[in-house]
Amino acid sequence: VQLQASGGGLVHAGGSLRLSCAASGRSFNNYAIAWFRQAPGKEREGVLCIDSNDASIYYADSVKGRFTISRDSAKNTIYLQMDSLEIEDTATYYCVSRAWRCSGQIHAYNYRGQGTLVTVSS
């Protein structure tokens, strides 16, 4: 089972990016997929999760109203749409997965992808 995160890059403040987390090896329809991020010099934090019922759970208050998460079951891919990006969103973003329910603790997830770097400039 592998998770492949992509879509990071350099964007100006106020811009948008869409991150993708593609799962291979099995269907993730019964799995929760979460995004965590880690900024330089800061602790890793949970951002947003989608559970097996496609309910969204926010772990970072700072992204509410700006970030959304969605699932494309046909492509076995989760998307993190990031709008109105702020400099404080600069971080490496990781997607992780576990069965059924979301968790705000990264150690609760069984599968982890590599990170994708998002840099927001002024």
Side-chain angles (χ1 to χ4, degrees), residues 80-97:
L80 180 66
Q81 179 66 41
M82 306 187 295
D83 298 322
S84 302
L85 281 160
E86 302 171 352
I87 293 175
E88 292 74 22
D89 296 317
T90 295
T92 298
Y93 286 71
Y94 302 87
C95 61
V96 295
S97 180

Side-chain angles (χ1 to χ4, degrees), residues 3 5 20 29 63 84:
L3 299 177
S20 300
N29 288 342
V63 307
S84 302

Side-chain angles (χ1 to χ4, degrees), residues 34-48:
W35 289 93
F36 284 73
R37 68 184 180 184
Q38 187 164 22
K42 295 186 178 180
E43 293 187 357
R44 187 163 42 201
E45 67 169 346
V47 179
L48 191 53

Side-chain angles (χ1 to χ4, degrees), residues 5-116:
S6 62
L10 175 64
V11 63
H12 289 298
S16 298
L17 277 177
R18 188 178 76 162
L19 304 185
S20 300
C21 179
S24 61
R26 70 186 305 163
S27 169
F28 273 75
N29 288 342
N30 294 326
Y31 281 72
I33 309 286
W35 289 93
F36 284 73
R37 68 184 180 184
Q38 187 164 22
K42 295 186 178 180
E43 293 187 357
R44 187 163 42 201
E45 67 169 346
V47 179
L48 191 53
C49 181
I50 185 167
D51 70 12
S52 59
N53 293 318
D54 287 346
S56 299
I57 299 173
Y58 285 85
Y59 292 115
D61 289 339
S62 63
V63 307
K64 289 181 179 178
R66 300 188 297 119
F67 290 12
T68 57
I69 191 169
S70 62
R71 183 194 304 266
D72 186 332
S73 296
K75 295 182 178 180
N76 223 22
T77 299
I78 300 295
Y79 300 103
L80 180 66
Q81 179 66 41
M82 306 187 295
D83 298 322
S84 302
L85 281 160
E86 302 171 352
I87 293 175
E88 292 74 22
D89 296 317
T90 295
T92 298
Y93 286 71
Y94 302 87
C95 61
V96 295
S97 180
R98 69 191 296 256
W100 302 113
R101 297 182 297 175
C102 293
S103 172
Q105 301 299 318
I106 195 168
H107 68 262
Y109 292 85
N110 307 105
Y111 307 108
R112 304 182 186 183
Q114 89 295 354
T116 185

